[in-house]
Amino acid sequence: MQGKPRPTIKEIARLANVSTGTVSRVLNGRPGVSPGTRAKVLEAVRTLGFVPNAAARELVGKSTLVGLLFAPGVRRYTPYFALLLEALSEALWREGLRVTEVSTDPQGLPREEALAYILLGAHDHDPRIEGLKAQGKPFVLIGTYPGVFWVAPDDRQGGYLATRHLLELGHREVALLTGHLHHQAGRERLLGYKNALLEAGLTFRSELVLDGDFDALSAYRAVRRAWEGGLRFSALFAASDEMALGAWAALEDLGLKVPEAVSLVGYDDLPELGERLTTVHQDIPTVAQEAVTLLRAALQGSPPFGKRVPVYLVPRGTTARKGVGTRPNP
């Protein structure tokens, strides 16, 4: 007979009426929490009988710190990374581990010792990977790389699904809004876009690829500059929900309604940001949990392997068949 499941950080947060991030800070002994709030969280912990996984503590001994390593130049304070870090914090805590960002040198390698590391912002020729391998440090990459432990959403399939959806609606001039093509997520979504065009017998046009820097304001500027410069398209795939919202604002300011004039697809399906968008959903909690599973394997000395997490399209109100409603301005 199985015992009662251990309470989760979310249940503690709900009982204490605080965020999961606040619970994580209290449990990890971090500053920035008022004495009253800390007392509420600890009372909720006692009430629910929350106990981290003792087996993980036996495995790793006294050290339980997992260091987060962001690639140099990556924007940390985005809705996507906030959700990923929250999911990682909870998944690691269930294993008796705690997570924090650690300081790095100019190449992104850690200046602080930790039990293991999780690498975020994967990109081509990433010096963190070979550096940690040379040092014999266990780590997991959120991204893909041969010969290491890695986990990533199936971004190429996501780019393909988004573009195919627009093509099936009759659109033939489909623009792509992307950024950071030396980073894996941007490049893989671009490859999916190209694959969908190829399957439909269409020629890839580089002028339809706009640099939105994975940022809403940059996306706004890129779309507005392209349209005012004479570029025309009836559909737009934005490789993040943030960029999709920036593009949406630009299109409306140009007098183009979504989806009547231009159909729009985002990527990530982020809470609140993506709730009105047709978008590609990626399962952030599953990415986090798979990262922790891989980290356990790395700590146990298993041979490295990777895991792709499936994605799927979520049709909502920002796409329509070409020719329905208002046409784009000439």
Side-chain angles (χ1 to χ4, degrees):
M1 182 175 179
Q2 293 184 339
K4 183 179 179 181
R6 290 195 307 275
T8 66
I9 284 181
K10 288 184 179 179
E11 290 171 326
I12 296 171
R14 192 178 304 117
L15 182 60
N17 196 28
V18 297
S19 70
T20 54
T22 297
V23 174
S24 178
R25 284 194 294 274
V26 172
L27 294 175
N28 290 323
R30 298 178 192 163
V33 181
S34 69
T37 299
R38 190 178 299 275
K40 285 199 305 180
V41 170
L42 292 175
E43 178 59 29
V45 168
R46 287 191 291 270
T47 300
L48 292 172
F50 181 86
V51 179
N53 187 340
R57 291 194 183 278
E58 291 175 8
L59 173 66
V60 302
K62 293 181 180 179
S63 176
T64 60
L65 178 65
V66 174
L68 290 175
L69 297 180
F70 281 90
V74 169
R75 292 169 54 235
R76 292 158 166 75
Y77 306 109
T78 66
Y80 170 78
F81 277 131
L83 288 170
L84 178 59
L85 296 184
E86 183 175 304
L88 282 170
S89 180
E90 179 162 351
L92 286 165
W93 183 259
R94 287 197 298 266
E95 296 298 321
L97 304 172
R98 56 194 178 94
V99 62
T100 189
E101 183 179 355
V102 297
S103 62
T104 60
D105 65 19
Q107 289 191 312
L109 290 167
R111 288 195 173 106
E112 302 174 51
E113 284 295 322
L115 169 71
Y117 300 93
I118 294 177
L119 279 58
L120 305 175
H123 62 279
D124 295 340
H125 313 297
D126 194 327
R128 299 173 301 168
I129 296 173
E130 294 304 325
L132 289 173
K133 286 174 68 176
Q135 295 173 16
K137 303 288 188 182
F139 69 91
V140 172
L141 174 71
I142 308 291
T144 64
Y145 197 88
V148 304
F149 290 94
W150 62 264
V151 59
D154 195 345
D155 285 317
R156 189 176 304 192
Q157 177 69 1
Y160 168 81
L161 292 174
T163 309
R164 187 184 69 177
H165 172 68
L166 294 167
L167 295 172
E168 288 176 342
L169 291 172
H171 299 281
R172 290 298 176 265
E173 296 79 30
V174 179
L176 170 65
L177 188 57
T178 187
H180 300 313
L181 290 179
H182 63 293
H183 286 179
Q184 292 179 359
R187 186 179 66 252
E188 288 293 308
R189 294 169 199 182
L190 169 63
L191 289 173
Y193 166 84
K194 287 182 174 181
N195 288 345
L197 294 177
L198 179 64
E199 183 181 84
L202 298 175
T203 301
F204 170 73
R205 294 168 52 194
S206 60
E207 69 271 19
L208 285 173
V209 178
L210 311 179
D211 183 4
D213 200 32
F214 282 119
D215 170 74
L217 180 57
S218 297
Y220 176 95
R221 290 170 174 166
V223 170
R224 182 143 194 171
R225 183 168 55 248
W227 194 272
E228 290 176 339
L231 186 67
R232 292 296 178 263
F233 45 86
S234 65
L236 175 63
F237 164 39
S240 76
D241 288 346
E242 281 189 86
M243 289 196 296
L245 294 182
W248 195 344
L251 292 168
E252 290 193 339
D253 285 351
L254 289 164
L256 301 164
K257 291 185 177 180
V258 174
E260 293 90 346
V262 177
S263 285
L264 178 63
V265 178
Y267 200 106
D268 291 328
D269 195 19
L270 298 177
E272 297 183 9
L273 283 185
E275 62 186 9
R276 294 189 297 157
L277 284 167
T278 294
T279 188
V280 175
H281 176 88
Q282 64 161 303
D283 192 339
I284 295 174
T286 296
V287 170
Q289 184 56 59
E290 291 289 354
V292 174
T293 300
L294 290 165
L295 197 64
R296 287 292 302 255
L299 289 167
Q300 292 169 336
S302 300
F305 62 97
K307 174 76 173 183
R308 286 196 188 275
V309 176
V311 299
Y312 58 87
L313 184 78
V314 183
R316 294 194 179 105
T318 57
T319 51
R321 183 163 295 280
K322 185 178 179 181
V324 175
T326 305
R327 299 297 300 276
N329 294 336

